Amino acid sequence: MSTRSSSDCVEASARFDRKIDLNNFQAATTRTARDINRRIVLNLIRKHQPISRAELARHSRLQRSTVSAITEQLIAERWVTVGALGDLPRGRKPTFLHLNSDRAAILAVDIRPTETTIAVADLSMRFLSQETMHTGENPEQFIKDLCKRISHATKSFPRLTFEGIGVALPGRVDLTTGKLTFAPNLAWKSIDLKTPLEQATGLSVALENAANACALAEIWSGRYSEQVRNLVAVTISEGIGVGMILNGQLVRGAGGLAGEFGHVTIREDGPLCNCGNKGCLDVCGSNAAAVRYYNELTPCGSGKSAPPDFNSILRMAEQGDVRAAEALDRMVGCLGAGMAMLVAGLSPDIIVLVGEVTSAWERVGPTINEIVKRRLATPLHTRILPTDPRTQPRLRGAIALVLQEHFGAPQIL
């Protein structure tokens, strides 16, 4: 049992200020308390490893006997291993505990309109392998190919137990059916990914919008996991996605469609978007938009064998290509307008941008911040920061979807 006082509990509940839904609840039981304490200990080991039982008791404020019972269970289940002895001037030497990296692994899948990445990672979010495949236009054939790739990936690590599959998607998932219901840039409609993946692998599958997954990744392993409760992640690729963690909770909204700011019109005279509207942030501020801007600026018959992709435009702009620089500036101008909308509407502590454009942050960052300041009448308290593309935040988000099943707070209400 926890040693926290009743005043501590009152203080904690006041911070969250959540109303209990009397139409949909489950009363807490002794088992619930044990599950919460277990997850607290498991998270503390994950964060502070190597760590002794005494340090766990101090961090968790649980009785030492409770910590000992939990850690013995975790060791028996091979979640935790015992490492080296500590060195103290006197008394019994402590043993240090670690997560067992040889016990379990997670499959992470990042689906994008043209390319899908499959990765195997351990419980500390370290990548053990990666491969890519063409996404393809036919969803049924793609799912069959994906199942084969995943099966091959699991067989490459026969000693590991796979805890599940996390899938980051460029669209929204219906919370009731688990189907991908809104993915304009994929052109897939009402596709069930979860059932065939689970049937083919025997593993549980967690599906989530890529922006939501990236927001979770920042909370689980990012720079802001301790001090930030209001964070917005913006994925910028073929389209634009927005994931929101507000007051410490991932916001999905009715039907799982919350966060579709990419399909809010920012230019009434803008081009047609894949969603059917005109001038959406998605079609004006994405990687695809920058490529389109460049092609519009390039005279016909200029001798180019093929139009450049977005990464080429980034390199060309850095090398002083005037058309590439202007295309990037147009894209960033629309991104700035979109960020101003998010700051005004949500007032998060931090907005993190995810995508290849962040590799040119010295060029695009000041422009985005200047546009936001110019458009807002209220004081600016939100920081807009880039993620490092090399950390692969979309894949890490897919890993976080599985991690939270074991390390996240249990659903008790």
Side-chain angles (χ1 to χ4, degrees), residues 211-212 214-215 218 231-235 241-244 350-354:
N212 284 353
C214 288
E218 288 296 334
L231 180 145
V232 172
V234 180
T235 54
V242 177
M244 303 172 291
I350 289 174
I351 296 176
V352 291
L353 302 188
V354 178

Side-chain angles (χ1 to χ4, degrees), residues 303-342:
K304 293 281 185 182
S305 58
D309 61 14
F310 181 68
N311 285 323
S312 298
I313 289 176
L314 286 175
R315 289 193 297 271
M316 292 160 63
E318 185 179 2
Q319 294 164 2
D321 185 290
V322 175
R323 288 192 294 270
E326 183 172 343
L328 188 59
D329 288 344
R330 288 188 187 181
M331 168 196 178
V332 172
C334 294
L335 271 180
M339 296 311 101
M341 172 176 60
L342 293 177

Side-chain angles (χ1 to χ4, degrees), residues 124-308:
S124 297
M125 286 189 160
R126 290 190 296 260
F127 293 113
L128 306 178
S129 72
Q130 286 189 53
E131 64 171 310
T132 59
M133 61 180 284
H134 179 60
T135 299
E137 296 180 0
N138 184 315
E140 288 78 15
Q141 185 59 50
F142 167 75
I143 293 170
K144 290 179 181 178
D145 294 340
L146 179 61
C147 289
K148 291 178 183 178
R149 296 290 188 108
I150 289 175
S151 177
H152 180 266
T154 58
K155 291 176 181 176
S156 299
F157 297 90
R159 295 179 56 192
L160 295 178
T161 300
F162 284 86
E163 294 298 326
I165 304 171
V167 183
L169 294 158
R172 299 289 167 170
V173 177
D174 186 279
L175 299 179
T176 304
T177 66
K179 292 183 178 180
L180 179 66
T181 57
F182 183 76
N185 293 316
L186 271 179
W188 295 354
K189 294 183 178 179
S190 193
I191 297 300
D192 184 1
L193 280 160
K194 182 180 176 70
T195 301
L197 281 176
E198 290 185 336
Q199 290 177 345
T201 64
L203 300 171
S204 62
V205 174
L207 305 173
E208 188 55 86
N209 170 263
N212 284 353
C214 288
L216 286 171
E218 288 296 334
I219 295 300
W220 274 97
S221 65
R223 295 162 287 180
Y224 323 110
S225 58
E226 297 298 326
Q227 70 272 32
V228 171
R229 293 185 56 77
N230 299 288
L231 180 145
V232 172
V234 180
T235 54
I236 306 158
S237 55
E238 295 81 5
I240 292 178
V242 177
M244 303 172 291
I245 292 180
L246 303 177
N247 197 28
Q249 301 294 319
L250 180 64
V251 178
R252 291 189 174 95
L257 293 173
E260 281 302 320
F261 292 96
H263 295 287
V264 173
T265 297
I266 61 169
R267 283 180 50 197
E268 294 290 343
D269 60 343
L272 184 67
C273 180
N274 288 330
C275 73
N277 291 325
K278 285 188 175 182
C280 294
L281 175 60
D282 198 279
V283 77
C284 295
S286 63
N287 295 1
V291 172
R292 187 183 69 253
Y293 296 143
Y294 180 86
N295 293 334
E296 291 171 353
L297 294 165
T298 303
C300 294
S302 60
K304 293 281 185 182
S305 58

Side-chain angles (χ1 to χ4, degrees), residues 341-395:
M341 172 176 60
L342 293 177
V343 172
L346 302 174
S347 189
D349 302 302
I350 289 174
I351 296 176
V352 291
L353 302 188
V354 178
E356 292 84 354
V357 71
T358 60
S359 63
W361 189 250
E362 289 187 4
R363 176 189 181 90
V364 306
T367 302
I368 290 175
N369 280 292
E370 175 57 32
I371 293 172
V372 171
K373 290 178 182 177
R374 188 171 67 243
R375 283 174 170 258
L376 296 182
T378 56
L380 183 61
H381 298 294
T382 301
R383 290 184 292 160
I384 303 174
L385 301 171
T387 57
D388 186 345
R390 295 171 296 181
T391 66
Q392 299 178 283
R394 293 168 72 107
L395 275 178

